[in-house]
Amino acid sequence: MTTRVLALFILSLWSMLVSADEKPIVGAIRWDAWTGGSITQQVERSLSPLKYQSRLPWFANIGKDGVVSIDGGDQTVMDQEIDYAADAGLDYWAFLLYPESSTMSTALGQYLGSSRRSKLRFCLILKNTLDLPEAAWLRERKRAIALLQEPGYQTVLGNRPLVYVFSSKGLPKRRLQEFIALARERELNPYYVFMGWHPAADVKKAIPLGFDAVSSYAKSNSSPAFVDLANSVKTQLWENAVNHKAPYIPLVTTGWDKRTRQDNPVSWEVDGDYHKQSVFPSKATPDEIASHLDEALQFVDQHRDICEANAVIIYAWNEYDEGGWLAPTRDAKGFPDKSRLEAIRQVLGERR
């Protein structure tokens, strides 16, 4: 056994021993299409039909004429959402990183500027910035590295910044290597997680490129019941990772129902396979989501050998029109429906 291999073995063993009594950290994905601009206008359309209005964000408005408007761009919205997430027991949000000039970055800026941000940590999901033209990529790469050094950035395994990477165009080999190199120059050692679709296949491609583990962003399903979707996550993702000894961060799903975008298509998914889908999982009850999360936490506890980061990622905080959310929705009387957060608080509160 070489010195390097021995050192890695000792580090891995130490990490497992240290984390054995620690509770898994639990995060949720943020897709921030709710603060204005052309994307907000499109999701307003997708959620405007009466049959979908129960999914509207808690800060949405329905006028007397029935017109839906969504404007989450006020700082008070972010401050309240931090309170909601922290009170429910979440540890971090995983922000999809968009260019700083994009309205899709408004929420991240509000989080960073919030006086309440110390209640909840954050990390990044590199996706959209990976596809930028070269000059823009250089700027955004520098910005992302700076964000890793922000107070409250989520770390794992001691002091390693947690970085997710999600790409629908294949593994971004060159740009990932550039990002890794720049992080090393800044004396950072991020924990890189590739969000794919099949742990056994993903790990074979991702680990040689510098990734430390694999996970998933979401899971589609055409079964009529949410429980079937949750079971497919467990068997096709969690158990697949165990069977192939893939370093893994488990996905927890809160739903998958894109009929909103079938009825009112969005510009960035005109050719999505779901447009031909006739059956989607039913809306999850708060108890179903809580039970699924509890199973994920047990999974991490039972499989520390592959779940070395001791973390869970939830789809999602606010993917309202895709059918996956934890954040409050607008109830029939215009008040925040916090039932999903209250349900997971029962699970997370018992473990803290």
Side-chain angles (χ1 to χ4, degrees), residues 66-340:
V67 175
V68 169
S69 62
I70 301 174
D71 184 3
D74 192 272
Q75 183 65 46
T76 59
V77 172
M78 173 56 66
D79 292 344
Q80 182 62 71
E81 291 217 316
I82 291 173
D83 284 346
Y84 285 144
D87 290 347
L90 290 181
D91 295 296
Y92 71 99
W93 278 327
F95 285 84
L96 275 161
L97 189 64
Y98 285 80
E100 190 169 17
S101 60
S102 170
T103 56
M104 299 291 286
S105 289
T106 298
L108 176 56
Q110 291 172 331
Y111 166 83
L112 293 171
S114 175
S115 61
R116 305 182 190 181
R117 61 180 280 193
S118 62
K119 293 183 175 183
L120 188 74
R121 296 186 290 276
F122 82 106
C123 74
L124 302 180
I125 304 175
L126 302 182
K127 180 183 186 294
N128 299 278
T129 50
L130 296 171
D131 300 325
L132 292 172
E134 191 67 17
W137 159 243
L138 295 177
R139 292 193 302 272
E140 291 300 322
R141 185 183 68 187
K142 182 179 179 181
R143 171 182 171 233
I145 293 293
L147 287 169
L148 303 191
Q149 301 170 77
E150 280 279 339
Y153 194 94
Q154 181 64 62
T155 59
V156 297
L157 296 176
N159 196 37
R160 300 186 65 183
L162 177 61
V163 177
Y164 292 99
V165 178
F166 175 46
S167 176
S168 57
K169 298 182 179 180
L171 286 162
K173 181 177 180 180
R174 181 177 66 85
R175 289 193 167 175
L176 176 67
Q177 294 303 317
E178 292 173 356
F179 190 89
I180 290 174
L182 185 57
R184 285 175 178 166
E185 288 179 14
R186 301 295 189 273
E187 298 184 347
L188 299 171
N189 183 27
Y191 188 84
Y192 298 101
V193 184
F194 177 66
M195 295 177 131
W197 309 103
H198 190 278
D202 295 333
V203 76
K204 292 179 181 178
K205 297 180 290 186
I207 299 301
L209 295 181
F211 287 95
D212 297 281
V214 296
S215 186
S216 297
Y217 185 93
K219 178 75 170 67
S220 62
N221 192 272
S222 58
S223 298
F226 173 80
V227 66
D228 295 325
L229 170 61
N231 285 333
S232 74
V233 169
K234 291 186 288 185
T235 58
Q236 297 175 27
L237 299 179
W238 302 359
E239 292 176 14
N240 183 271
V242 171
N243 293 338
H244 293 86
K245 301 187 183 304
Y248 189 58
I249 292 183
L251 168 74
V252 172
T253 185
T254 58
W256 177 264
D257 183 357
K258 301 178 83 167
R259 288 175 296 167
T260 54
R261 296 184 183 180
Q262 284 183 336
D263 294 353
N264 289 285
V266 293
S267 60
W268 58 92
E269 285 187 348
V270 292
D271 297 320
D273 291 341
Y274 67 86
H275 284 290
K276 302 175 183 178
Q277 190 169 331
S278 58
V279 177
F280 289 87
S282 57
K283 180 180 176 181
T285 67
D287 286 345
E288 285 176 327
I289 292 172
S291 176
H292 184 41
L293 173 59
D294 189 50
E295 289 179 318
L297 298 175
Q298 294 179 46
F299 177 88
V300 173
D301 286 340
Q302 295 164 4
H303 298 285
R304 290 294 176 91
D305 56 328
I306 63 167
C307 299
E308 60 179 4
N310 195 30
V312 167
I313 186 69
I314 300 174
Y315 170 84
W317 176 255
N318 56 353
E319 288 268 19
Y320 297 106
D321 70 326
E322 281 196 341
W325 71 87
L326 284 176
T329 49
R330 184 187 190 279
D331 72 13
K333 295 183 179 180
F335 296 106
D337 177 358
K338 299 180 288 183
S339 56
R340 292 188 173 194

Side-chain angles (χ1 to χ4, degrees), residues 6-21:
L6 178 61
L8 290 173
F9 173 77
I10 293 173
L11 178 60
S12 177
L13 180 61
W14 176 83
S15 297
M16 290 174 62
L17 291 173
V18 168
S19 64
D21 294 326

Side-chain angles (χ1 to χ4, degrees), residues 33-64:
W34 317 101
T35 57
S38 62
I39 294 179
T40 299
Q41 292 171 1
Q42 293 185 62
V43 294
E44 279 179 342
R45 285 197 299 272
S46 68
L47 290 173
S48 284
L50 184 61
K51 60 183 175 180
Y52 301 133
Q53 289 183 6
S54 63
R55 301 193 203 181
L56 284 169
W58 62 274
F59 47 82
N61 288 300
I62 303 176
K64 293 181 179 180

